[in-house]
Amino acid sequence: MISKTMVSSPWRTYVYSICLHILFKCEDPQVYSDDQITGMRYFGYAMYVVAGLIALVVICLRKSIMLSIGIVKESARCVHAMPTILMFPVVQSVALIVFLVVWLIYAVYLASLGDIMVKTVDDSGVEGVDVQYRTFEYDEATQQYAWFLLFCLYWTFYFIEAVGSMVVARAVASWYFVRDKSTIGTTTVLHSMRQVITYHLGTCAFGSLIIAIVSLIRAILAYIQKQVEEKSDDNKFVKAVGCMLQCCFWCLEQCIRFINKHAYIQTAIFSTSFCVSARNGFFLVARNAGRIGAVSAVSEVVIIFGKIFITATTGLISYYLIEANLGDDLDSVLVPVVFIMIMAYFVASLFFSIFSMAVDTILECFVADEEMFDGDDCYAENDLKEWIDNNG
């Protein structure tokens, strides 16, 4: 039996693992092969190295981790002070659904512009019997209209997403840079919406335009790759080049998304233009790389556990409710429970995106507060104020 002292001591745990290795190897008959024992021993060595590296990283980033914990707490306070902000994903979803209805009508009409062509192939397996099928063929102008329609879908989707991010960032910044937090509430969110619609729609449109162009280029590359592969008889080189280009543009898209997110936050705080905000956001990230990394790690852990908790809780409740009310009418409750859990995960992801944006905004507000104000003039409170006092 392993004592508490042995469990709490990494060195004794290491000695214990070596003893287990000897015991396993000396068993008669031997349960595991020598290769398995050797492999697990080296795997244990590797895990000790990884654990040591993680411990060193935690020690080196201790101050940044403490700061990130304070920022996550302040973000939770902010969202709690403005619960209406959690309804904004619903507003975005409604706006997107309305647009998709109109977009699908145009897409169906555009698809009907094709010419019906009848093609014949000898693929029935019966001699003398041909198989005919119909297909749509489109002229060059119609294909260009289709690409334009796809671009409109990308741009509108990213624009709605950008407006939502800007409203959240503006509301969170308003909460941070106020002395009396009791004045913050539903009106703050509505005021932030009015400010974004009045002054910052151009910034949202420009930022979303850049991502839409990159997404369209990726779609065109995928189409060209498919056409070339069909004509090149499954050429490996063509596939490799296509995948490489797709990977490069995917990385470019993620970088632009990252820059846009911080540009929206800078615009929400300082009301600067998109280009100025993107530049300031980039240099802010460069100056505070350790803080950004620590905050991203801590917030990501919180978000992951939050999603898991919501999904698991929803699945458990739905299982008992379905079993109690419809258990006799269903062959299995597994399928509806899994479906409900998938829906719960997507809903949780939608609302946790608000929390993620709030964390990033609080961080940039804190950095701006730290750089612009000193001592009692700063707006930081609670753990953030304590961190400034302890670290100067």
Side-chain angles (χ1 to χ4, degrees), residues 129-352:
V129 178
D130 297 332
V131 176
Q132 292 184 342
Y133 67 94
R134 296 180 180 181
T135 182
F136 276 95
E137 291 188 359
Y138 302 94
D139 56 19
E140 185 177 352
T142 305
Q143 293 181 13
Q144 292 177 356
Y145 298 152
W147 287 116
F148 177 75
L149 198 62
L150 180 62
F151 173 73
C152 292
L153 175 64
Y154 284 145
W155 195 4
T156 306
F157 175 80
Y158 294 135
F159 176 74
I160 294 174
E161 184 182 45
V163 171
S165 299
M166 185 77 77
V167 171
V168 173
R170 181 59 193 164
V172 173
S174 300
W175 176 87
Y176 185 93
F177 288 107
V178 68
R179 301 292 182 184
D180 186 8
K181 296 292 193 291
S182 62
T183 60
I184 300 297
T186 301
T187 56
T188 306
V189 180
L190 298 177
H191 183 65
S192 300
M193 291 178 62
R194 184 183 66 81
Q195 286 184 320
V196 171
I197 294 173
T198 305
Y199 302 108
H200 303 307
L201 285 183
T203 298
C204 298
F206 187 73
S208 57
L209 173 64
I210 298 175
I211 303 181
I213 292 174
V214 176
S215 298
L216 182 64
I217 293 175
R218 288 187 62 197
I220 293 174
L221 285 175
Y223 175 77
I224 295 175
Q225 181 182 359
K226 182 179 178 181
Q227 297 296 318
V228 173
E229 288 178 358
E230 290 178 354
K231 296 179 181 179
S232 61
D233 297 330
D234 199 21
N235 191 302
K236 301 296 183 182
F237 177 76
V238 173
K239 281 188 176 182
V241 172
C243 292
M244 181 184 66
L245 291 175
Q246 285 287 351
C247 180
C248 291
F249 276 94
W250 180 84
C251 294
L252 177 62
E253 181 178 340
Q254 298 307 309
C255 291
I256 294 175
R257 282 177 174 273
F258 181 81
I259 294 174
N260 279 7
K261 184 177 184 179
H262 291 281
Y264 297 149
I265 295 174
Q266 288 289 309
T267 299
I269 298 174
F270 300 105
S271 296
T272 50
S273 63
F274 177 83
C275 294
V276 175
S277 299
R279 183 193 63 192
N280 294 339
F282 177 81
F283 286 113
L284 181 142
V285 172
R287 292 195 306 269
N288 300 272
R291 293 179 178 180
I292 298 291
V295 170
S296 299
V298 173
S299 62
E300 193 65 28
V301 169
V302 172
I303 290 172
I304 289 174
F305 277 101
K307 291 178 182 179
I308 293 174
F309 175 78
I310 292 174
T311 303
T313 303
T314 304
L316 186 63
I317 294 174
S318 63
Y319 172 80
Y320 281 108
L321 291 177
I322 294 174
E323 183 68 26
N325 297 283
L326 301 173
D328 297 334
D329 300 328
L330 298 175
D331 293 333
S332 174
V333 299
L334 181 61
V335 174
V337 169
V338 170
F339 178 77
I340 292 173
M341 291 180 68
I342 293 174
M343 294 297 296
Y345 177 81
F346 281 109
V347 172
S349 300
L350 192 66
F351 286 98
F352 268 109

Side-chain angles (χ1 to χ4, degrees), residues 112-125:
S112 65
L113 294 178
D115 298 324
I116 301 178
M117 305 296 293
V118 179
K119 294 186 177 182
T120 303
V121 294
D122 185 11
D123 195 25
S124 62

